[in-house]
Structure formats: structure tokens, C-alpha cells
Amino acid sequence: MSGQSWLARRRTTAPLSTRLLVAQALVLFAGAVTAWVVASVVAPGIFHDHLVQAGVGHSSAEAAHVEEAFGSALLISFAVALLTSVLMALLVTGYFTRRVQRSTTQVSHAAARIAEGQFGARVPSPGLGPEFDQLADTVNELAERLGDVERTRRRILADLAHEMRNPLATIETHLEALEDGVRDLDEPTLAALHGGTQRLHRLAEDISAVSRAEEGQLDSRPVRTSPQLLLSAAAAAAQEAYDTAQVRLTLEAGGTVPDVHVDPERMGQVLANLLDNALRHTPPGGSVRLRATRPDQNWVELEVADTGDGITAEALPHVFERFYRADPARLRQPGNSGSGIGLTISRALVEAHGGGLSAHSAGLGQGTTFRIRLPAASG
């Protein structure tokens, strides 16, 4: 059967309320006929036996008349009672089927509005029981989640367009200068073009990484690992950049800290992002400290604390959002501003390990501390 014929058959099918009413009417009619037949067959015999047992002295003609009168009265009254009960049942059934129809129509209309992009559509509680209330709540929750997804999608697209604008403008400016003969294809021009394409390439990779991390699709191989080894490896990888920027990087001992069950490569990526972020916001002569601590029996914390610019209380809740920058002018190293989602990737990776990532700062000029909280390995 083709899709069009199936759709046509769907549209010609009677509404649910009509089908429920017809089905209920058939059930009531079958019950009434059955009761009428049983009563007409069984009741006269029982009445005759009672007359015989009572020893009522009637001639056979009188007994037949009495039994006929009883049967007629019984069947007529029974028929009237059944007809009345069927009519009342149909009225009640019609009332409830209309309520069901109104509820299903509301759900259908709300779903259609949601499909059209009107994510503010909501279904009121039909008051027909927990099943219908759950259906309405499910549709409303679906609309709310789709609305959140749509708002996030629009914000991400807007932020992505903003992030791409600068490197694209740099590339376009240099290409136009080359076409007009204003600039030569020398080493500085090639470096500028190469830097713009590198930034776009990194942006594409970071967006892919954060999407896979938040969807739980990252390839991860957790093993039992020492927190001190994680910090030592991260410090060694970042040391050259810190020396160049004249920022002191120190690794402190935080006492006896148990192992953690993590993917060393992914956690190294998190620490690299945090160290890169700290370096961009710490002026020459400042310092960044790495430390592993054990705040309680079940958790381990890795700290990356800098003495740099700090974060305002208003900006602090937003530092892990995609492309968020409290003050783009604070980026200290031109050409190394990052994609704007390094902290977003880091939080997604830490949460994928069952932990959490938080930021703390006393305000501008007071430095910032990032804490990676991970479950301690058992045994």
C-alpha cells in the first residue's frame, strides 16, 4: 500500500470517540439481549415451580394465565429497565469519550505546534487519571527540551559565526592586499594566513570534541593512575611555554593522595586546557600552581591556581559556556587566543569520568583556581 493511500485511509477512519461509543453501545446491546433471553427462558420455569411447591389450587387454565401474566410483566419491566440502563450508560460513555477526544485533540494540536517550531506550546492536565496526566507531562517536557535545544543551537551558531569572523577577516584582508599589490607574499604574510587557517582548523576540532564529549561518544580507556603523575606530565608539557611567557609553574605536593580511575590522555587534555587558560590570563612574573589534594575519603581534587587577572562574580557562572569570554581584551598572547571552548571541553571530559570541574576567584586581579574533582579509586 502506498503512502498516499495509507494516509487517505487514516483520514477516513472514524474518530476515536465515535469508535469508543460504538464499541460500548455494541457491548451494552449484547449484554441487554443476553439478559433478556436468559430471563425469558429461566424465569417462567422458576415461577411455575414455586406455584407447585406452594400448592396453589388453580385449574390448569388459571395457572397458565397467571404464568403468562407473570412472564409478560417480567419481560416488559425487564426490557424497560434494560433500555433505560443502556441509554444512561451510553450518555455516560458519550460524556467520557468526548472528554477523551478533547484531551487527545489538545495533545495532537500541541504536538503539531511543537513540530512547527512553537516550543512554548503546552498541554493542560486533562484530569482523566494518572495515565493521561503522564502523557501531558511527557509532551510538555518534550517541548521544553526541544526549546532548550533550539535556543542552544541558535546561540552556538551565533557564537560560531562570531568566532569565525576574525580569522576569516584576517585571511580575506591579506588576500585582498596581495591581489591589489599592496603586500608581497613574504614570510609575515604567509605566517598571518597560516595562523588564520590554523585557528579555523582548531575551532573545527574543538567543536567536534565538545559535541562528542557531551554526547558520551568519546573513545575513553580509563586506567588506575596516580594524580601526581598526571600533574607532572602536564607540567612538563607546558613548561617551555611558561618559560617563554616568564610565568612560574610550580608543582606542589599535597600529601598522600589515592589513585584515580581515568583515561590519562583525556585527563592530560583537560590539564593542558587549564594550564593554557591560566597562562593566557597570567602576566609575566606571575605564577601558576599545580596541586593534588584529598578533600575527603571518596574524592580527589586536582588544582590549577594562577595569580592572574581573576574573574568577576558576574562572569564566574559562565566561564564553562561555549565561546564565553568575560573580557576578550584580557587575552595576553596575540595569535594564541584559543577557540573559546577549551573550558567547555574540559568540563565535559571531567564529567564523563564521573567528576566535576569548578572555578573559583575572589575577583579581578585576585587570580583564579580551577578544581578537578574525581572519584578516588577503590581498593
Side-chain angles (χ1 to χ4, degrees), residues 101-356:
Q101 183 183 23
R102 285 197 300 269
S103 300
T104 55
T105 300
Q106 289 175 340
V107 174
S108 176
H109 288 170
R113 292 175 60 191
I114 293 170
E116 294 173 355
Q118 302 178 31
F119 301 116
R122 293 293 183 269
V123 181
S125 175
L128 294 175
E131 295 83 3
F132 282 89
D133 288 341
Q134 183 177 4
L135 174 61
D137 292 341
T138 301
V139 173
N140 293 337
E141 183 178 357
L142 173 64
E144 184 174 356
R145 291 187 177 183
L146 288 175
D148 292 340
V149 170
E150 177 63 16
R151 286 188 292 271
T152 301
R153 184 187 68 85
R154 291 179 179 177
R155 180 173 57 83
I156 289 175
L157 289 176
D159 292 339
L160 180 59
H162 176 74
E163 291 297 319
M164 293 176 64
R165 187 175 295 117
N166 288 337
L168 286 176
T170 300
I171 295 173
E172 184 178 9
T173 299
H174 283 79
L175 289 176
E176 289 178 353
L178 289 172
E179 290 177 353
D180 296 338
V182 178
R183 294 185 65 103
D184 296 326
L185 192 59
D186 51 15
E187 186 174 347
T189 302
L190 287 175
L193 293 173
H194 187 58
T197 57
Q198 274 191 328
R199 185 172 177 185
L200 290 173
H201 181 67
R202 179 177 178 181
L203 179 62
E205 288 184 343
D206 285 351
I207 291 174
S208 176
V210 73
S211 298
R212 286 184 283 117
E214 292 182 345
E215 293 171 3
Q217 297 180 358
L218 279 175
D219 183 20
S220 179
R221 297 179 178 84
V223 295
R224 192 183 184 98
T225 309
S226 167
Q228 288 296 134
L229 288 179
L230 290 174
L231 295 179
S232 299
Q239 190 64 59
E240 183 178 353
Y242 272 74
D243 291 342
T244 302
Q246 300 178 6
V247 176
R248 187 172 67 258
L249 178 61
T250 59
L251 176 59
E252 294 185 2
T256 303
V257 180
D259 293 342
V260 290
H261 202 64
V262 299
D263 184 328
E265 182 179 350
R266 297 299 183 189
M267 201 51 56
Q269 183 180 357
V270 172
L271 290 169
N273 285 339
L274 295 180
L275 286 171
D276 180 66
N277 179 78
L279 182 60
R280 291 201 309 270
H281 297 301
T282 303
S287 64
V288 176
R289 184 196 69 223
L290 292 174
R291 184 176 65 167
T293 61
R294 187 180 191 179
D296 55 50
Q297 191 72 16
N298 301 317
W299 295 93
V300 171
E301 286 186 352
L302 308 180
E303 289 187 2
V304 179
D306 64 64
T307 60
D309 298 331
I311 306 173
T312 64
E314 295 77 13
L316 201 58
H318 305 287
V319 294
F320 296 107
E321 295 179 3
R322 293 179 179 93
F323 305 116
Y324 181 80
R325 291 191 178 99
D327 183 7
R330 289 167 50 206
L331 301 178
R332 299 205 175 265
Q333 297 181 12
N336 189 29
S337 59
S339 65
I341 55 176
L343 293 179
T344 309
I345 296 173
S346 299
R347 182 178 62 176
L349 288 173
V350 174
E351 290 178 350
H353 285 81

